[in-house]
């Protein structure tokens, strides 16, 4: 049998959120941090229009989309590279900057794709301890060695929901050797409304070793389209453009992205609903005696106290067509991550958990 590189067999494949229910059963999928309201109708229309020309290859440079992103975020279009989801950007960064003998740093409960992409590149992923399920700047700096090539921080982090404030990011960057690329993964940035938070675009412009990654998969409700992007210094943009496929973002995705950026009302409605439903969910679950970690994203991390109980609750909910995500892969086996859906969906999930807890005292 032809074998791939040894390091590839050390990878545990990423398992996506479950969503297969019994026939005819209503599905409430709260297992993948997807947008609760579908995509913007403007994005759907633009995609349908673009589909008429699917015999043509897409614009390799994603020009219109980069221009739209640049305008929206007050940055230069030349500092943007688009990808098939931010997953692709993460993977491209790892394969371009890290290889055999190199290390890729991230935090203990950081997003799983950092370690998978590091291993694909042949590098060693190094996870540092967190403090109260939040990235610990001291631990990260202590773990930096001459082999460290990239440091990934999901800000806010999935699945913990915690984030580093601007001052903490600045402190981390100031103490990091300039030879290490600091990647601020801002997949959930739209949801954060703390004035002390920074997505990091201003930091990219000021420094030579910071990259911000973003996505249309969460607040824009476009996970199925696979559209993400990176904002970085010229030398990183140059590298990403060398390693990416020439047509890595479909014409349909580009058109949908441009249209989605114009639909401010949809984004506003999504963010307002998330804020309201997140609070309602956290308050209701805490009232049931369950530990809920504070979250700045579109999900909550809930600790049911022990792994068996958490798994039984997941299975009981699944039986009712409600899918939440187990967190064993993130080293948090007693926890479940619940995506914030619509108000009605959250009421149903709370009722289901209440029902389970009431009948299993
Ligand atoms: C922290 C974080 N980064 C990146 C991604 C990848 O998003 P996408 O590839 O859909 O852009 C996710 C998806 O769940 C995430 O949680």
């Amino acid at each position: 049998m032809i074998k791939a590189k040894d390091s590839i067999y050390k990878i545990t494949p990423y398992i996506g959120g479950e969503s297969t229910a019994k026939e005819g059963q209503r599905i409430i999928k709260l297992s993948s941090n997807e947008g609760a309201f579908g995509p913007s109708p403007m994005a759907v229309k633009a995609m349908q229009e673009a589909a008429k020309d699917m015999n043509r290859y897409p614009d390799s440079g994603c020009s219109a989309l980069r221009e739209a992103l640049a305008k929206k975020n007050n940055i230069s279009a030349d500092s943007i590279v688009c990808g098939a989801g931010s997953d692709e950007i993460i993977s491209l960064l790892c394969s371009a900057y890290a290889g055999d003998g190199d290390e890729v740093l991230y935090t203990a409960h950081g997003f799983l794709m950092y370690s998978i992409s590091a291993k694909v590149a042949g590098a060693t992923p190094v996870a540092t301890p967190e403090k109260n399920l939040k990235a610990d700047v001291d631990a990260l700096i202590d773990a930096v060695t001459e082999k460290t090539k990239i440091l990934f921080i999901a800000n806010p982090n999935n699945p913990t929901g915690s984030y580093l404030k601007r001052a903490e990011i600045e402190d981390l960057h100031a103490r990091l050797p300039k030879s290490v690329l600091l990647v601020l993964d801002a997949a959930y940035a739209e949801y954060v409304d703390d004035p002390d938070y920074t997505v990091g675009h201003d930091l990219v412009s000021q420094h030579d070793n910071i990259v911000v990654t973003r996505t249309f998969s969460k607040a824009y409700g476009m996970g199925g389209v696979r559209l993400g992007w990176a904002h970085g210094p010229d030398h990183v943009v140059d590298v990403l453009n060398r390693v990416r496929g020439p047509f890595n973002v479909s014409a349909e995705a580009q058109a949908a992205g441009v249209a989605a950026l114009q639909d401010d009302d949809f984004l506003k409605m999504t963010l307002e609903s998330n804020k309201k439903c997140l609070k309602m969910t956290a308050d209701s679950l805490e009232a049931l005696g369950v530990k809920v970690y504070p979250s700045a994203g579109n999900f909550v991390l809930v600790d049911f106290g022990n792994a068996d109980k958490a798994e039984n609750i997941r299975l009981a909910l699944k039986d009712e067509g409600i899918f939440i995500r187990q967190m064993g892969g993130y080293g948090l086996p007693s926890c479940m991550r619940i995506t914030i859906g619509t108000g009605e969906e959250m009421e149903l999930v709370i009722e289901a958990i209440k029902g389970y807890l009431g009948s299993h005292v």
Side-chain angles (χ1 to χ4, degrees):
M1 186 184 78
I2 299 173
K3 286 196 80 188
K5 293 178 287 186
D6 282 349
S7 57
I8 300 298
Y9 298 98
K10 294 188 186 127
I11 297 170
T12 310
Y14 185 88
I15 300 168
E18 255 189 310
S19 59
T20 2
K22 295 174 202 159
E23 219 184 301
Q25 192 176 41
R26 175 183 176 181
I27 294 177
I28 300 181
K29 187 175 176 226
L30 305 174
S31 53
S32 294
N33 295 349
E34 295 152 332
F37 297 99
S40 149
M42 283 164 65
V44 176
K45 198 162 166 255
M47 190 164 199
Q48 283 166 340
E49 266 311 301
K52 291 179 186 157
D53 289 325
M54 68 165 81
N55 56 318
R56 306 281 173 211
Y57 280 100
D59 168 12
S60 163
C62 296
S63 317
L65 178 58
R66 285 190 302 107
E67 286 297 341
L69 286 167
K71 204 165 155 217
K72 180 116 187 153
N73 294 283
N74 206 13
I75 56 180
S76 147
D78 292 339
S79 64
I80 295 173
V81 180
C82 298
S86 45
D87 276 350
E88 187 192 22
I89 305 279
I90 292 165
S91 157
L92 292 175
L93 287 169
C94 284
S95 53
Y97 288 96
D100 278 352
D102 295 330
E103 291 175 351
V104 172
L105 269 188
Y106 64 107
T107 67
H109 307 296
F111 182 47
L112 280 180
M113 286 312 295
Y114 307 146
S115 97
I116 293 180
S117 299
K119 286 181 189 165
V120 171
T124 306
V126 177
T128 62
E130 299 184 3
K131 255 193 199 151
N132 301 324
L133 298 197
K134 179 180 160 182
D136 178 359
V137 172
D138 292 337
L140 281 162
I141 295 298
D142 285 351
V144 173
T145 70
E146 284 187 351
K147 296 177 186 164
T148 311
K149 291 291 185 294
I150 308 178
L151 163 48
F152 283 104
I153 294 284
N155 214 36
N157 184 48
N158 166 24
T160 55
S162 61
Y163 65 94
L164 295 179
K165 291 177 186 277
R166 164 186 281 280
E168 293 169 308
I169 293 287
E170 285 174 345
D171 176 42
L172 172 65
H173 176 258
R175 294 160 66 191
L176 197 65
K178 299 289 164 273
S179 55
V180 178
L181 196 61
L182 173 60
V183 181
L184 302 175
D185 175 346
Y188 300 93
E190 290 84 359
Y191 297 103
V192 193
D193 62 2
D194 180 343
D196 290 342
Y197 171 77
T198 181
V199 182
H201 292 304
D202 56 333
L203 301 176
V204 172
S205 313
Q206 288 160 28
H207 304 285
D208 212 29
N209 63 332
I210 301 183
V211 175
V212 167
T213 61
R214 302 197 60 176
T215 184
F216 282 83
S217 299
K218 309 300 173 185
Y220 289 95
M222 289 167 51
V225 169
R226 309 310 300 129
L227 187 58
W229 54 286
H231 171 214
D234 290 350
H235 64 99
V236 176
V237 167
D238 174 51
V239 165
L240 287 174
N241 279 327
R242 286 169 196 266
V243 293
R244 72 179 171 87
F247 306 112
N248 60 331
V249 180
S250 72
E252 291 80 357
Q254 294 182 37
V258 170
L261 290 173
Q262 288 162 5
D263 197 347
D264 291 335
D265 291 346
F266 177 83
L267 185 64
K268 189 163 172 269
M269 178 275 292
T270 299
L271 301 184
E272 280 174 4
S273 169
N274 185 71
K275 192 172 178 182
K276 203 169 96 203
C277 294
L278 175 64
K279 183 169 176 350
M280 186 269 280
T281 306
D283 289 351
S284 307
L285 291 176
E286 270 168 356
L288 296 175
V290 174
K291 178 164 175 52
V292 181
Y293 286 93
S295 172
N298 67 338
F299 55 88
V300 277
L301 185 70
V302 179
D303 193 341
F304 289 107
N306 73 66
D308 286 345
K309 185 173 174 188
E311 181 60 5
N312 288 336
I313 290 174
R314 186 183 73 79
L315 293 174
L317 265 57
K318 183 179 165 181
D319 218 41
E320 295 184 34
I322 301 172
F323 295 88
I324 60 174
R325 186 76 158 262
Q326 69 266 58
M327 291 284 107
Y330 282 94
L332 299 163
S334 63
C335 295
M336 290 288 151
R337 190 194 65 200
I338 307 176
T339 302
I340 302 302
T342 62
E344 188 209 353
E345 287 173 335
M346 298 326 286
E347 274 166 23
L348 289 170
V349 77
I350 292 158
E351 269 314 299
I353 293 174
K354 191 174 174 186
Y356 179 93
L357 293 175
S359 56
H360 295 78
V361 232

